[in-house]
Amino acid sequence: MQYRTLGRTALKVSRLALGTMNFGPRTGSAEAFAIMDQAVDQGINLFDTANQYGGALGVGTTETILGDWLASNRDKRERLVLATKVHEPMSDDINDRGLSARHIQMACEASLRRLGVDHIDLYQMHHIDRLAPPEEIWQAMDRLIAQGKITYVGSSNFPGWKIAQLNERARAQGRLGLVSEQSLYNLVERRAEMEVIPACEAYGLGLIVWSPLAGGLLAGPPAGGEGRRSAAGVQAAAQALGAKLQAYHDLCAGIGRDPGEVALAWLLAQPAVTSAIIGPRTGDQLTSAMHAEATPLSPETLAALDQIFPPCGPAPEAYAW
């Protein structure tokens, strides 16, 4: 496993991060425990979750499963960079959501209880809250840092302007500010290249990417008619992208690589990407992801992928001023 520093911090995180959103709704506790054991054994040290994850089993379920695993693996806790998120509705209470200082404090306390830990390494804001002033957000985060309950603050699904706004406010007060952004980014969805990635590079944020396989579009045809790739929305997107996906699958076949591995290896070849989140439902899926991390793509293959899925927007030098 390779590691990179998380943005401008000295913290080192694995190039692959274990996403836990499937734990509970799609993956039972026993298999989730086995996947987490395997991930640690393979050198993955960044575990990502969110307080809302749980699906039909209820918000908080995924954090609870992770907490149960941590309770029986205390020796592994100090080896992990534990990341969770705050923002999404946790109940019908009008104040049990968003990024008010009150909700940030209460949500953090609840996550600590479910996870069974005394601190969260990376506390991420799941979405922007247009009602929450930057000063209120930093007041809450500073308090949690002072209390030793969180170590670093990150964002997730933030536009470039919000990353800039929050870090300018933090810089003015001598704060470290945001150290990471968790963003949607893959071969099919490259809009992060327009503003989010430049903002991360300008302010020294590590980029943690989610949905590396574009909801299964880049993983090849579904097997057995089950899973996310069989969902109506994914099937409709696959039909709309038919020619591109066919060219992609032909390229993968030509180099003898699994389509899912190629999509993940492409992400890890992008200079801005610190870590890519994988959300395996089974141990076999985790093994496949590990192979992608260990086997980089050739420059010729990377160029061919850019031809199929072009970068988002022209390069600056392409503009005629």
Side-chain angles (χ1 to χ4, degrees):
M1 176 59 64
Q2 300 177 43
Y3 301 86
R4 278 192 178 178
T5 55
L6 185 62
R8 63 191 184 283
T9 76
L11 181 70
K12 294 182 174 63
V13 296
S14 49
R15 298 303 315 279
L16 296 179
L18 182 68
T20 62
M21 189 170 67
N22 285 323
F23 294 173
R26 295 185 177 89
T27 304
S29 294
E31 190 162 19
F33 281 24
I35 290 172
M36 287 187 278
D37 286 337
Q38 183 182 351
V40 172
D41 290 344
Q42 294 293 324
I44 293 177
N45 75 343
L46 177 55
F47 278 26
D48 178 76
T49 190
N51 61 354
Q52 195 202 34
Y53 292 167
L57 299 179
V59 295
T61 297
T62 301
E63 281 189 336
T64 299
I65 291 173
L66 182 51
D68 291 342
W69 178 81
L70 287 168
S72 57
N73 290 273
R74 292 298 179 190
D75 59 318
K76 295 178 180 177
R77 167 63 185 103
E78 298 308 317
R79 296 164 58 187
L80 296 180
V81 176
L82 185 59
T84 191
K85 308 182 193 75
V86 57
H87 174 282
E88 301 300 82
M90 297 300 288
S91 72
D92 293 334
D93 184 342
I94 192 65
N95 284 313
D96 200 11
R97 64 196 68 199
L99 297 176
S100 69
R102 177 180 183 272
H103 180 62
I104 289 173
Q105 182 79 35
M106 294 176 67
C108 182
E109 298 282 2
S111 286
L112 290 171
R113 288 193 298 270
R114 285 188 292 267
L115 292 166
V117 297
D118 60 4
H119 74 282
I120 294 161
D121 298 302
L122 178 61
Y123 202 41
Q124 304 161 109
M125 293 172 275
H126 212 153
H127 294 279
I128 67 170
D129 182 348
R130 295 178 186 273
L131 298 177
E135 294 82 3
E136 180 178 7
I137 291 171
W138 284 125
Q139 171 188 300
M141 295 300 184
D142 286 348
R143 182 187 302 119
L144 291 172
I145 292 170
Q147 293 171 343
K149 293 175 180 176
I150 66 174
T151 306
Y152 299 99
V153 180
S155 58
S156 179
N157 303 305
F158 272 33
W161 69 267
K162 194 65 176 179
I163 292 171
Q165 181 194 57
L166 279 175
N167 266 23
E168 285 296 334
R169 298 297 175 86
R171 179 181 292 175
Q173 298 297 321
R175 300 185 181 99
L176 180 61
L178 299 173
V179 303
S180 65
E181 159 63 16
Q182 187 176 135
S183 182
L184 172 63
Y185 187 42
N186 53 56
L187 274 167
V188 172
E189 178 50 83
R190 298 182 65 166
R191 281 179 290 181
E193 295 171 350
M194 297 182 71
E195 294 186 5
V196 173
I197 289 177
C200 289
E201 292 175 332
Y203 287 97
L205 275 67
L207 182 65
I208 303 169
V209 298
W210 60 271
S211 195
L213 304 187
L217 282 174
L218 297 169
E226 298 181 355
R228 295 179 63 188
R229 283 176 282 173
S230 299
V234 175
Q235 289 296 303
Q239 186 172 3
L241 292 167
K244 288 180 178 290
L245 291 177
Q246 185 59 58
Y248 172 68
H249 293 145
D250 290 345
L251 183 152
C252 295
I255 61 173
R257 297 284 296 273
D258 176 80
E261 290 183 14
V262 171
L264 189 54
W266 175 84
L267 270 176
L268 296 177
Q270 304 310 303
V273 173
T274 301
S275 187
I277 296 175
I278 55 172
R281 289 185 294 107
T282 66
D284 288 343
Q285 290 179 351
L286 176 56
T287 299
S288 177
M290 295 300 302
H291 185 260
E293 189 271 341
T295 313
L297 301 175
S298 70
E300 293 77 17
T301 298
L302 292 171
L305 288 169
D306 278 344
Q307 289 295 315
I308 299 171
F309 302 105
C312 199
E317 58 269 20
Y319 290 104
W321 301 105

